[in-house]
Amino acid sequence: MSWTFKKTATAFAALLFAILLAPAQAEPYLAFKTGNKCSACHVNPIGGGARNTFGNYYGTHVLPALPGDTQGFDSGSLTESVRVGANLRANFQRHEEDNADATQGFETQSAQVYLHFQPKGSRFSFYLDEQIAPGAALNREAFVMAKLSGNHYLKAGKIMLPYGIRLEDDSAFIREATQITFDNSDNGVELGLDFDKALFNVVLSNGTGATNNDDDRFQYVVRGEYVERNWRVGGSALVNESTSGTRRIWGVFAGAHLYGFTLLAEVDQIMDESLINAFGDETEQIVTLFEVNRELGKGMNLKVTHETFDPESNTDNNERTRSSVLLEYTPFANVQLRGGIRTGDDIPQRDQGNFKDLFVQAHLYF
């Protein structure tokens, strides 16, 4: 695959367009960099979605090159009891893969609105995460949360599962292969035990992602994380029992902030009885992520990632890889730009796994 001058000029024009008009979002590397838990910035203790007062302050005054208005840094707080938020991600992408014509164009990747309602003085709160684009509306989360003693909590309703590193990119192998994505929440209950330097999550859910359970079996998820100022380590496990077979996932993750570099890593093993390999055994899959972030200047971050996915460990020479180089720039409060190149390498028989992407993303958030 080769880039012609015309293709490069078109992509560069799209990059300029996005930079002139644009919008970005907090990611796990920021928690790893600052030594905070996800709950330091987000209403949802496991991260993602609506930001709390400190999260809004960080997004408007610490992250961007030029800080925002000191009077409006927490604009999502409507009253003492009601908080709202939103995210909009718009992309330009050029995609090339083997034995297929190149495609390029603009898209609205996602748009969400958030609502958090907590009556004054109450230990109970209601949280809603609704995706409004692309396509039809999709409820991602809707739960009631009760604050227990200290920072411990209990959730009940439709929840996103706490597993591994909560990457923003659902197409990452560690999200796609494990099926723990922002669009794949489940109905159940979650207990969170939040200590000074440690966080433990225990979940019991339907395991179907649907409104009702379709059998008499459940899904079990546990996650633990130990956090120090410049490093952290954790592990996760999931067991989903169903009539088609039991799916078991376990993994470890870690991160560190050293000499100005922020490192993230995760390794997961997936054992799935519902997928039978050529030897008549359950399928064993291995997926990994390694990410390096480096702050180049105020509001500017360089991100390099390398991912691997082995869809069948008992088959030789079957691995897939995906590598990315991204530049993230947050020029102003509530606006971030991301652009970069991503390449995929797969066996020759899977054309879609051998690709090259050039993309620019604009993200508006508050």
Side-chain angles (χ1 to χ4, degrees):
M1 294 181 286
S2 61
W3 293 89
T4 66
F5 175 79
K6 183 178 179 180
K7 295 174 184 176
T8 304
T10 301
F12 182 69
L15 175 62
L16 289 179
F17 174 82
I19 290 176
L20 289 172
L21 297 184
Q25 161 175 339
E27 291 187 69
Y29 88 87
L30 292 174
F32 286 55
K33 177 182 176 181
T34 59
N36 289 321
K37 299 173 187 173
C38 295
S39 59
C41 288
H42 293 275
V43 171
N44 191 341
I46 68 170
R51 299 159 185 84
N52 56 28
T53 298
F54 178 75
N56 278 328
Y57 176 81
Y58 192 93
T60 57
H61 285 71
V62 180
L63 189 62
L66 296 174
D69 186 347
T70 55
Q71 301 300 315
F73 77 89
D74 198 15
S75 57
S77 179
L78 302 184
T79 70
E80 289 186 84
S81 300
V82 180
R83 175 179 294 277
V84 297
N87 280 311
L88 171 67
R89 292 178 179 273
N91 295 347
F92 168 83
Q93 178 170 300
R94 179 177 177 84
H95 178 78
E96 294 186 0
E97 68 179 52
D98 287 355
N99 302 315
D101 294 334
T103 60
Q104 63 182 12
F106 298 93
E107 66 172 355
T108 300
Q109 178 185 328
S110 63
Q112 294 87 31
V113 293
Y114 314 114
L115 170 67
H116 180 241
F117 174 67
Q118 182 169 15
K120 186 177 180 181
S122 175
R123 65 173 63 241
F124 294 94
S125 62
F126 170 73
Y127 181 74
L128 179 69
D129 179 335
E130 191 80 11
Q131 181 169 299
I132 57 176
L138 171 68
N139 176 242
R140 305 199 309 175
E141 286 193 293
F143 61 78
V144 173
M145 183 168 66
K147 283 289 187 181
L148 308 178
S149 62
N151 291 321
H152 308 326
Y153 64 87
L154 181 67
K155 293 182 193 173
K158 190 173 185 181
I159 59 177
M160 294 181 186
L161 302 177
Y163 186 96
I165 300 174
R166 196 173 173 83
L167 285 183
E168 175 274 326
D169 182 9
D170 272 352
S171 67
F173 287 155
I174 62 169
R175 300 276 67 80
E176 197 173 63
T178 61
Q179 300 176 22
I180 309 296
T181 68
F182 283 96
D183 293 336
N184 195 24
S185 49
D186 200 15
N187 287 280
V189 293
E190 174 190 340
L191 174 65
L193 302 177
D194 190 345
F195 300 98
D196 181 35
K197 293 185 177 181
L199 174 64
F200 300 94
N201 307 91
V202 181
V203 173
L204 176 66
S205 70
N206 288 341
T208 61
T211 303
N212 299 310
N213 203 356
D214 56 3
D215 56 31
D216 63 350
R217 299 169 175 84
F218 289 104
Q219 179 170 248
Y220 310 88
V221 183
V222 294
R223 181 186 187 275
E225 182 178 21
Y226 180 79
V227 180
E228 284 286 357
R229 174 62 185 87
N230 292 317
W231 62 273
R232 66 185 64 200
V233 64
S236 312
L238 179 152
V239 176
N240 189 8
E241 299 178 343
S242 69
T243 54
S244 59
T246 299
R247 192 167 191 262
R248 302 184 302 276
I249 310 175
W250 71 273
V252 293
F253 60 91
H257 182 66
L258 302 170
Y259 305 107
F261 293 90
T262 304
L263 314 176
L264 291 73
E266 180 174 330
V267 180
D268 298 295
Q269 181 187 53
I270 304 165
M271 305 291 291
D272 197 337
E273 293 179 351
S274 67
L275 299 175
I276 304 302
N277 61 25
F279 304 99
D281 301 321
E282 63 179 345
T283 297
E284 176 185 349
Q285 301 176 331
I286 303 293
V287 60
T288 70
L289 165 81
F290 183 70
E291 177 181 302
V292 181
N293 293 269
R294 172 70 179 187
E295 184 177 354
L296 302 180
K298 181 67 171 174
M300 186 172 293
N301 179 66
L302 177 66
K303 181 190 301 292
V304 179
T305 64
H306 183 71
E307 308 167 55
T308 66
F309 176 41
D310 187 348
E312 175 47 70
S313 297
N314 292 322
T315 302
D316 294 333
N317 303 316
N318 196 36
E319 295 81 8
R320 309 175 192 177
T321 64
R322 196 177 81 145
S323 301
S324 307
V325 179
L326 292 82
L327 185 63
E328 302 173 322
Y329 181 48
T330 310
F332 313 110
N334 307 117
V335 170
Q336 186 191 48
L337 309 174
R338 306 172 77 212
I341 296 175
R342 176 172 290 140
T343 61
D345 186 32
D346 203 340
I347 60 175
Q349 295 90 330
R350 283 195 291 256
D351 292 338
Q352 67 273 19
N354 296 289
F355 67 87
K356 180 185 292 183
D357 287 338
L358 172 68
F359 62 95
V360 177
Q361 182 181 89
H363 176 211
L364 176 66
Y365 63 94
F366 81 92

